[in-house]
Amino acid sequence: MIVKNTYGTSIQYSPKAFGYVPTREFVGSSLLRKKQQPKEKKKITDSKTDKVNSGLPKQRSLSPRSKQKIKRKVVCFSRCYDKMSFVTLTFLNKVDDVQAVKMLKKFLDNAKKRLDDFQYIWVAERQTKNDEFKGNVHFHIITNKYWKIDKWWDYWIDLQLKNGIKPRDKNFKPSSAFDVKRLNSKNIKAIGTYVTKYVTKNKATFRCQVWNCSKAVSLINTDFYTSHEFLENFERLNAIRGVFKVKDKLGETLITVKNMDLNRQTLHLYRRLDERNKAIIE
């Protein structure tokens, strides 16, 4: 039996059933991604107007697969650093998706220049509670850096002004435009809560890129293969929270999914993944 593991979840399957035997211990890195041939740009039809608009970006959203990938990346990324920050960037006024993501990229490019070893994952989200700018895009960033709020808040406001995003009135400079929360990377459950709240439940569509990460984060692995002996460690610690089985038409088990409790006793079992990713980051 082959076991594929990531933080909190192990999937056990028979190579005979799937005809696949892994050749690598670690997977989930962008280095293993197959290169795709560039596609020709096609004209896009707006279903509301039924008109052809060659410059209209297509609608994008986070697929279930992307959400799982982001969740795994965030957890593995956070294991490489002692402290993390959760940053939310909002806009002074209504802004279209394309313009918004351009502002984000300028912000990140400046941060790369000013902050040593700046690593991040960002995700787009729609505002729902602000009646003035309902549906406006804003961005959540999980990063390994501490932010001097006054300095970066001023920069984020000025960046918008310089690029034509003007406030409702001259003196409108909301403190929430640049919001920072510190995260303890050792508290893996808290990290997971943020990801679940802002990523897993994100069902909005956008006319821009929905998420991205720094190059080093894209390179880290999210999963590793082991034998069944790895699961026996959790069994001895009574740390298996639940078991889900997928069976074929004859009742034979194809896949067994086990959810693990993550605590001080079990986290060290993922040390090989931590050490691998820290070496990549460094």
Side-chain angles (χ1 to χ4, degrees):
M1 298 297 286
I2 301 296
V3 182
K4 185 178 182 181
N5 310 282
T6 190
Y7 276 96
T9 305
S10 293
I11 301 174
Q12 186 176 8
Y13 67 92
S14 169
K16 183 179 179 180
F18 288 89
Y20 173 74
V21 177
T23 57
R24 300 174 183 269
E25 180 183 2
F26 300 97
V27 292
S29 170
S30 61
L31 286 173
L32 305 179
R33 191 184 305 149
K34 292 182 179 179
K35 292 185 178 181
Q36 296 181 342
Q37 295 295 327
K39 297 180 180 179
E40 293 184 5
K41 291 185 178 180
K42 297 181 180 180
K43 292 184 178 181
I44 302 169
T45 302
D46 189 331
S47 59
K48 291 183 179 180
T49 61
D50 199 31
K51 294 180 180 179
V52 175
N53 298 280
S54 59
L56 185 65
K58 66 178 181 180
Q59 292 274 13
R60 300 183 182 184
S61 61
L62 285 174
S63 65
R65 183 178 179 182
S66 292
K67 291 177 181 179
Q68 286 299 317
K69 182 177 180 179
I70 295 169
K71 187 173 183 178
R72 292 176 180 180
K73 282 287 185 184
V74 169
V75 172
C76 293
F77 170 33
S78 68
R79 296 291 295 172
C80 295
Y81 296 92
D82 293 330
K83 294 181 180 179
M84 308 284 287
S85 294
F86 184 84
V87 181
T88 300
L89 299 179
T90 57
F91 292 90
L92 298 172
N93 213 324
K94 290 288 289 184
V95 61
D96 66 65
D97 295 352
V98 175
Q99 187 180 20
V101 83
K102 285 181 179 178
M103 291 301 95
L104 172 66
K105 289 179 179 178
K106 288 182 179 181
F107 176 88
L108 294 174
D109 285 343
N110 188 47
K112 291 174 189 176
K113 294 176 183 177
R114 297 176 180 273
L115 302 173
D116 183 48
D117 185 36
F118 172 57
Q119 308 298 342
Y120 62 86
I121 295 178
W122 66 260
V123 180
E125 189 186 37
R126 294 280 182 209
Q127 286 185 275
T128 57
K129 297 180 180 180
N130 189 328
D131 293 331
E132 290 287 338
F133 309 138
K134 203 162 188 177
N136 218 32
V137 65
H138 64 181
F139 300 102
H140 299 296
I141 310 169
I142 293 181
T143 172
N144 62 328
K145 289 301 174 183
Y146 172 77
W147 301 83
K148 294 181 179 179
I149 296 177
D150 290 342
K151 173 184 175 181
W152 286 97
W153 176 79
D154 282 339
Y155 170 70
W156 176 237
I157 296 294
D158 290 342
L159 180 64
Q160 293 183 64
L161 295 174
K162 289 177 181 177
N163 286 273
I165 303 173
K166 298 180 180 179
R168 289 174 294 178
D169 58 70
K170 188 176 181 180
N171 298 318
F172 179 66
K173 290 187 176 182
S175 58
S176 60
F178 184 85
D179 183 69
V180 181
K181 293 181 175 62
R182 295 298 297 267
L183 298 177
N184 181 358
S185 60
K186 293 182 180 178
N187 189 343
I188 197 167
K189 292 181 181 180
I191 297 288
T193 297
Y194 272 92
V195 176
T196 299
K197 183 177 181 180
Y198 295 104
V199 176
T200 307
K201 295 181 180 180
N202 191 339
K203 298 180 180 180
T205 58
F206 305 85
R207 291 197 182 276
C208 67
Q209 194 171 13
V210 183
W211 78 281
N212 206 344
C213 61
S214 57
K215 184 176 180 180
V217 174
S218 74
L219 294 177
I220 63 176
N221 298 279
T222 57
D223 306 80
F224 61 102
Y225 288 98
T226 65
S227 65
H228 185 269
E229 292 178 357
F230 179 78
L231 300 181
E232 293 175 355
N233 294 305
F234 292 90
E235 292 170 356
R236 284 194 293 269
L237 294 169
N238 194 28
I240 299 178
R241 294 186 298 172
V243 179
F244 174 75
K245 294 185 178 183
V246 178
K247 298 184 178 183
D248 61 17
K249 295 180 180 179
L250 299 176
E252 294 291 328
T253 300
L254 296 175
I255 300 174
T256 301
V257 181
K258 295 186 178 182
N259 294 319
M260 313 302 189
D261 190 20
L262 297 176
N263 52 44
R264 292 181 181 179
Q265 289 183 306
T266 59
L267 281 175
H268 77 278
L269 297 172
Y270 297 91
R271 186 178 300 151
R272 69 181 77 177
L273 183 58
D274 290 342
E275 291 176 348
R276 172 81 171 186
N277 286 332
K278 286 179 180 178
I280 291 173
I281 289 283
E282 292 172 0

